[in-house]
Amino acid sequence: MHGRVKVKTSEEQQEAKRKEREKKLQIFITKTSTIFEKRRNGELDKEVLDLSNQILGANPDFASFWNLRREVFLQLEKATSKEELSLLYKGELQFLESCLRVNPKSYGTWHHRTWVMGRAPEPDWGRELQLCNKFLDTDERNFHCWDYRRFVVSHSQVLAKEELEFTHSLITKNFSNYSSWHYRSKLLPQIYPDPQRQGRVTEEILLKELEMVQNAFFTDPNDQSAWFYHRWLLGRADNEESLRCLLISREGSWVAVSFSRPVMIPPGSDDLMLFLDQTPLKVSWKNPTVRTFGSVWTCNLPEGSLSDLCPRHDLRVFWKDGLGEMECSLFRGRQENWCQDSCTEAQTFRCDLSVEKSTVLQSELESCKELQTLEPENKWCLLTIILLMRALDPLAYEKETLHYFDTLKAADPMRTAYFNDLRSKFLIENSILKMEYAEVRVITLSNKGLTALSHLEHLLLVTHMTLAENELQSLPSELRVMLCLEVLEADDNHIESLEGVADLPKLEELSLRNNCIRRVADLQPLASCPKLSQLDLTGNPLCELTDLQTQLTALLPQVKTVLT
């Protein structure tokens, strides 16, 4: 339309267009009314197909009519010969093809074609594959067609290697073909499976794919498709479900279990079995964050289960019939005990990018750094460098990683919030690793520029945590998994919400100096902390309220010292 002179329409022309639209609308209303009337009367015949043809031929996105056509075909199957039925289905496929020319990305049309091919007496899968080729030539990113192609391939004699060659031909034409890269990630593990890692490919194929994908992002560094595929190549499957920590507390008589990833334990489920002194206990597991899935689950032991006179109690848990097992002992005179696996040995924080041989990662890091010298503000390259350094050695590369984050935020300021949260996540991971090396129950996260808290399920045993001088705006609900937390210092942030502090059974001291708490009602979550005795609210807008001390005493009677 560029360069064309805009011609004003006269009132007569506008009136003519209006009448034409009204005429089409009236025809549409009349035909749809007739179709629905026939459906109500149970008249599912060929006339319904003819009438709906006229509607769907102009607008293929009328989902109700596709449903109705399936009802008609199911009815016709009962009283139609195989030969006639075959002709009907062939005619339906031709009609569907004309609808796809109207709208190649019509959900209803592709879904109906899948249904028809599943019921046609003599399906021609080769023709369907040619149809997919034709539509992908027109639009190589038509994900509806890609989904349908996978359906066709699954019912035909096409080999996975042939499909892999097909994706290669499309990628060489256009590196930006994300659907082809994605399809490739599904085909390779089928053709060249790695016997050691389910869902991954052999190292020989991995190196060949890395060479191809490097050609792609050196050719067009700003295209995200190749970068996403590159991350998949260097990635690994999700961590298996396993027990990571078992904690038993005499005070309150409760047990907590943490997992390697979020799991669901339905009420009454026997997935997680608990044995005390070799006796099975019937307990009710709950997630502290009150969510369906969670990494930490707790239960109260039956009254009288723990005796102060018994020299030793042995606790054992089983996850899903032996999929995971962990045990610990509570000795007389001790208030708690635990058993915990090492997240360092399990490489818990390397799940984004992880290859068995670090030489591959090191080589990729050098390649990305080389590209970054040519494209210093390429956000995909910068982000990949960060992830590669995390996978190689998160502590050794910590300082360099932070430098790259600064460069990344400058290159893509619109996503600064996301990068800040990702940076916070990595810094917390590093702090957990350092804490684990020292085998302490205290974690200091002060003055790190944190904007979000993550991996709190790994801090189940922490008793003291410092979050001072960060950029936090809330204490999130995930904080409730820190069941051993006694002292929390969160001074000099921007905290407005204390949702995560609710129900912390051992919290005694909480410091919130110089934050953004404005109302007494914002402190309501603290009322469910039975042992909270000291609270520091100095420097909050809340402190400007009159009669503040009386309101706090009414809301938090268990708190003995309140500093305002």
Side-chain angles (χ1 to χ4, degrees):
M1 299 298 292
H2 295 289
R4 294 188 183 182
V5 179
K6 185 176 181 180
V7 180
K8 293 184 179 181
T9 57
S10 65
E11 292 184 5
E12 292 81 5
Q13 289 172 322
Q14 292 179 3
E15 180 64 18
K17 289 183 178 180
R18 185 186 65 79
K19 289 181 178 180
E20 181 65 22
R21 285 195 298 268
E22 287 184 355
K23 181 180 178 180
K24 290 181 179 180
L25 178 60
Q26 190 59 44
I27 294 173
F28 175 82
I29 293 173
T30 302
K31 290 181 178 179
T32 53
S33 299
T34 303
I35 292 172
F36 287 127
E37 180 66 25
K38 289 180 70 67
R39 185 183 193 182
R40 282 192 294 271
N41 295 333
E43 300 175 14
L44 300 175
D45 51 25
K46 292 182 180 180
E47 186 184 358
V48 174
L49 295 180
D50 294 337
L51 290 169
S52 59
N53 275 2
Q54 300 172 49
I55 302 297
L56 292 170
N59 177 18
D61 293 314
F62 204 138
S64 296
F65 281 1
W66 291 120
N67 293 334
L68 182 55
R69 291 178 77 84
R70 287 191 281 275
E71 292 180 15
V72 173
F73 273 98
L74 291 175
Q75 188 69 26
L76 292 175
E77 285 180 1
K78 299 176 183 178
T80 307
S81 66
K82 184 178 180 180
E83 292 75 14
E84 188 178 356
L85 191 63
S86 180
L87 291 174
L88 282 173
Y89 276 119
K90 286 181 180 178
E92 186 73 354
L93 290 172
Q94 292 174 359
F95 171 64
L96 284 166
E97 191 170 338
S98 66
C99 290
L100 288 173
R101 284 195 288 269
V102 174
N103 181 5
K105 295 184 178 180
S106 168
Y107 285 88
T109 309
W110 286 108
H111 176 69
H112 188 64
R113 193 173 189 92
T114 303
W115 183 86
V116 169
M117 288 300 296
R119 299 191 69 85
E122 300 174 352
D124 186 349
W125 297 109
R127 186 182 184 283
E128 294 305 295
L129 200 61
Q130 293 174 4
L131 178 79
C132 292
N133 291 341
K134 182 171 68 174
F135 277 98
L136 289 177
D137 282 340
T138 304
D139 181 2
E140 59 198 13
R141 289 191 172 192
N142 187 337
F143 66 89
H144 303 275
C145 186
W146 278 106
D147 287 342
Y148 184 69
R149 184 187 185 89
R150 283 189 283 272
F151 164 75
V152 171
V153 169
S154 68
H155 287 79
S156 61
Q157 302 300 317
V158 179
L159 299 176
K161 285 189 176 181
E162 294 179 15
E163 286 296 279
L164 191 66
E165 284 299 318
F166 176 73
T167 64
H168 186 268
S169 64
L170 292 184
I171 288 171
T172 52
K173 291 179 183 177
N174 181 8
F175 285 134
S176 185
N177 194 329
Y178 179 82
S179 296
S180 291
W181 290 113
H182 177 261
Y183 195 16
R184 209 169 172 79
S185 72
K186 298 298 181 184
L187 293 169
L188 284 170
Q190 299 176 28
I191 306 170
Y192 308 104
D194 185 343
Q196 303 298 324
R197 298 185 302 158
Q198 186 177 3
R200 311 305 300 172
V201 297
T202 60
E203 185 173 343
E204 179 184 0
I205 298 301
L206 170 68
L207 295 175
K208 290 182 179 179
E209 292 294 302
L210 285 173
E211 182 179 355
M212 182 174 71
V213 79
Q214 281 184 12
N215 289 336
F217 57 61
F218 267 88
T219 302
D220 187 0
N222 292 309
D223 182 71
Q224 61 184 343
S225 303
W227 289 106
F228 280 129
Y229 185 67
H230 181 260
R231 190 182 300 185
W232 175 81
L233 286 173
L234 298 178
R236 68 177 182 187
D238 293 335
N239 290 331
E240 295 182 357
E241 291 178 3
S242 62
L243 299 170
R244 187 176 178 277
C245 181
L246 171 62
L247 167 67
I248 180 171
S249 175
R250 189 183 299 274
E251 184 182 5
S253 189
W254 52 268
V255 171
V257 178
S258 72
F259 291 83
S260 58
R261 67 180 188 185
V263 301
M264 179 177 66
I265 306 179
S269 169
D270 292 331
D271 287 346
L272 185 60
M273 300 292 295
L274 177 65
F275 291 80
L276 183 64
D277 299 327
Q278 300 184 348
T279 302
L281 298 181
K282 191 67 176 178
V283 295
S284 178
W285 295 98
K286 61 180 181 179
N287 176 13
T289 61
V290 200
R291 294 177 180 170
T292 305
F293 282 83
S295 297
V296 176
W297 291 82
T298 67
C299 72
N300 294 318
L301 296 174
E303 188 174 351
S305 297
L306 301 179
S307 171
D308 294 333
L309 301 178
C310 182
R312 167 177 170 171
H313 286 292
D314 294 322
L315 187 73
R316 178 177 294 182
V317 290
F318 290 90
W319 172 242
K320 289 189 176 179
D321 297 326
L323 188 61
E325 177 182 350
M326 191 166 280
E327 60 184 53
C328 71
S329 299
L330 182 63
F331 295 92
R332 183 169 56 194
R334 291 200 60 176
Q335 291 301 304
E336 63 184 12
N337 199 18
W338 62 86
C339 175
Q340 179 170 252
D341 286 345
S342 169
C343 63
T344 307
E345 294 177 2
Q347 293 190 329
T348 302
F349 301 135
R350 298 190 185 188
C351 57
D352 289 334
L353 294 179
S354 182
V355 176
E356 293 299 325
K357 294 185 177 180
S358 61
T359 51
V360 176
L361 293 177
Q362 190 67 54
S363 174
E364 291 304 298
L365 179 58
E366 292 171 3
S367 296
C368 289
K369 285 187 173 182
E370 178 185 349
L371 177 60
Q372 200 261 332
T373 59
L374 303 174
E375 298 280 340
E377 296 185 356
N378 185 288
K379 62 181 180 181
W380 300 108
C381 185
L382 292 165
L383 181 58
T384 303
I385 288 173
I386 291 171
L387 296 175
L388 285 166
M389 291 192 296
R390 297 291 306 168
L392 281 164
D393 193 330
L395 296 180
Y397 283 105
E398 180 174 330
K399 186 175 181 180
E400 194 173 353
T401 299
L402 296 178
H403 166 72
Y404 274 104
F405 264 116
D406 292 337
T407 308
L408 181 58
K409 289 189 287 186
D412 190 8
M414 290 185 63
R415 292 168 181 80
T416 296
Y418 166 74
F419 296 139
N420 282 336
D421 287 351
L422 187 63
R423 175 183 178 278
S424 300
K425 174 175 173 284
F426 289 162
L427 285 173
I428 292 174
E429 289 174 1
N430 286 2
S431 297
I432 292 173
L433 292 174
K434 294 172 185 176
M435 181 183 69
E436 185 173 271
Y437 291 143
E439 295 184 351
V440 296
R441 300 181 68 184
V442 177
I443 185 167
T444 301
L445 299 169
S446 300
N447 196 25
K448 292 183 178 293
L450 300 182
T451 57
L453 297 178
S454 57
H455 297 305
L456 297 180
E457 68 276 7
H458 292 280
L459 305 180
L460 175 61
L461 303 177
V462 166
T463 59
H464 292 64
M465 181 164 71
T466 303
L467 298 170
E469 299 180 69
N470 284 299
E471 303 295 325
L472 299 173
Q473 297 183 4
S474 67
L475 295 178
S477 60
E478 289 77 11
L479 197 70
R480 297 179 186 179
V481 303
M482 299 183 65
L483 300 173
C484 295
L485 189 62
E486 298 174 2
V487 178
L488 174 60
E489 181 182 338
D491 300 337
D492 300 296
N493 280 277
H494 309 289
I495 295 173
E496 300 178 356
S497 170
L498 303 177
E499 177 189 359
V501 184
D503 301 315
L504 289 178
K506 296 190 176 184
L507 185 64
E508 298 178 3
E509 299 179 18
L510 176 60
S511 182
L512 296 167
R513 299 168 63 92
N514 304 321
N515 277 286
C516 300
I517 300 171
R518 293 177 170 80
R519 304 175 304 162
V520 174
D522 295 334
L523 302 173
Q524 182 64 44
L526 301 179
S528 59
C529 299
K531 300 189 71 174
L532 183 63
S533 60
Q534 182 168 319
L535 176 64
D536 192 344
L537 296 170
T538 307
N540 283 274
L542 170 79
C543 300
E544 301 172 3
L545 299 177
T546 58
D547 201 19
L548 175 60
Q549 204 68 29
T550 301
Q551 296 182 57
L552 290 175
T553 301
L555 179 65
L556 308 171
Q558 80 276 29
V559 180
K560 305 304 179 185
T561 305
V562 180
L563 302 177
T564 57

